[in-house]
Amino acid sequence: ANSFRQPGSTIKPAVAMAGLEEGIVTSSTKIKCKGIYTYYEDYQPGCLGVHGSLDLKWALYHSCNIFFYETSRLVGIEALNNYYTMFGLGEETGIEVPESSGNLDSVEYRTERGELWTPGLTIQAGIGHGDNMFTPLQLAVYASTIANRGVRYKTHVIDSVKSGDFSKTIRETETQVLSKANFKEENWDLVFEGMKMVAEADYLKFQNCPVECAAKTGTTTVEKTINGALVEINNGFIIGFAPYEDPEIAVAVAIECAGMSTYTGPIIADVFEYYFSEKNNQETSLSENTLIK
């Protein structure tokens, strides 16, 4: 619960929601991607492709940096971080073990470190880079909050505590809502549709998933010393939930040195396949203390 990394492009559904709720973008807004972000003269980061004119759903599908650079610039870092917080990013989950709250990159955070906040840091925050650092569990909570359309629950691994002979329930964990974001339903619909398009992409290899899913991938670059040499290696991430229409399960996968985020696709697809196949195949629940053969 204490290992944290940059989330990469998994952050983009939250940025999309921030842009929609702030009135920065709508369903019809299109931003042109020429492969380079040219708003600033002295800082012009790139995109992984040249995507042309994109609306929000296709920007999520292609994970277009240019679209989200511009959206995050217009939203601003303070408002952006408010939305991240509502999704549980940079917040403790409440799990029953020691955990890190991670870190939200901000003006205050940089000032404490004796650093100057620059506009480039805002747009990097909009693609999950900079000093935004979150745990895999926080990413799972984030995915769950999207699936629940803004309702964020306290995380637990303990369902109940029983007496030694299982005759008494000493304590039972109750569901607890930590926050609720009252965003517009049409905005949730747009984010859902964009994430569904990602899950339907051939490169994610979701073909074996027994239900419709929604997902978003992410990649970040880290430096590692291998055989005495400093090399750049990519970490891969994915968040997702299923079924698409009535979500029951939310998952986050993080793979260090994955090479590409697309390698996370088969893993989350296997989780969904196992979850729903087990659910469909299990006719009766086993009672406690039953020997499983």
Side-chain angles (χ1 to χ4, degrees), residues 261-287:
S261 62
T262 53
Y263 294 146
T264 60
I267 297 174
I268 196 173
D270 285 347
V271 172
F272 289 149
E273 183 181 8
Y274 177 82
Y275 176 85
F276 290 104
S277 62
E278 284 291 301
K279 183 177 178 181
N280 293 334
N281 292 336
Q282 190 173 6
E283 295 180 359
T284 58
S285 298
L286 297 174
S287 61

Side-chain angles (χ1 to χ4, degrees), residues 5-223:
R5 297 288 184 271
Q6 294 172 325
S9 293
T10 58
I11 203 75
K12 289 175 180 175
V15 180
M17 183 58 75
L20 290 165
E21 285 291 312
E22 294 294 312
I24 301 300
V25 296
T26 67
S27 60
S28 59
T29 298
K30 290 188 176 182
I31 295 174
K32 192 168 186 177
C33 170
K34 297 180 180 180
I36 299 290
Y37 187 65
T38 58
Y39 182 83
Y40 302 112
E41 290 184 2
D42 58 345
Y43 180 60
Q44 299 188 343
C47 192
L48 295 176
V50 179
H51 300 118
S53 186
L54 291 170
D55 64 13
L56 184 140
K57 290 189 293 184
W58 281 105
L60 285 170
Y61 174 82
H62 287 292
S63 200
C64 177
N65 286 348
I66 307 303
F67 189 99
F68 291 99
Y69 286 148
E70 180 67 0
T71 302
S72 58
R73 180 186 71 82
L74 293 170
V75 171
I77 191 60
E78 289 188 9
L80 203 59
N81 281 345
N82 286 338
Y83 284 91
Y84 291 168
T85 298
M86 284 187 272
F87 283 106
L89 298 171
E91 297 287 303
E92 292 188 356
T93 68
I95 194 169
E96 297 94 338
V97 295
E99 64 172 328
S100 169
S101 61
N103 185 67
L104 279 177
D105 208 355
S106 66
V107 177
E108 293 76 17
Y109 168 76
R110 295 284 178 164
T111 301
E112 289 174 2
R113 293 163 57 93
E115 300 174 5
L116 181 65
W117 185 266
T118 63
L121 292 172
T122 298
I123 65 173
Q124 285 298 319
I127 63 166
H129 288 185
D131 278 1
N132 282 300
M133 299 284 183
F134 311 126
T135 66
L137 182 59
Q138 285 175 323
L139 293 180
V141 169
Y142 165 45
S144 171
T145 306
I146 297 173
N148 289 319
R149 292 184 174 241
V151 180
R152 179 167 61 97
Y153 292 97
K154 188 174 183 178
T155 303
H156 296 286
V157 291
I158 298 173
D159 179 54
S160 61
V161 178
K162 303 282 187 180
S163 60
D165 60 359
F166 288 87
S167 62
K168 295 181 181 178
T169 299
I170 299 172
R171 180 168 63 87
E172 196 159 8
T173 300
E174 296 183 358
T175 300
Q176 182 178 346
V177 175
L178 293 179
S179 64
K180 183 176 183 190
N182 295 311
F183 301 151
K184 296 176 182 175
E185 285 300 311
E186 58 264 34
N187 292 341
W188 283 117
D189 291 343
L190 281 170
V191 172
F192 268 51
E193 289 164 17
M195 293 181 69
K196 182 172 181 286
M197 289 165 62
V198 173
E200 291 173 342
D202 291 340
Y203 61 78
L204 279 190
K205 297 179 174 59
F206 270 35
Q207 290 87 342
N208 294 330
C209 190
V211 296
E212 284 189 322
C213 313
K216 185 67 193 80
T217 57
T219 306
T220 58
T221 302
V222 294
E223 291 185 339

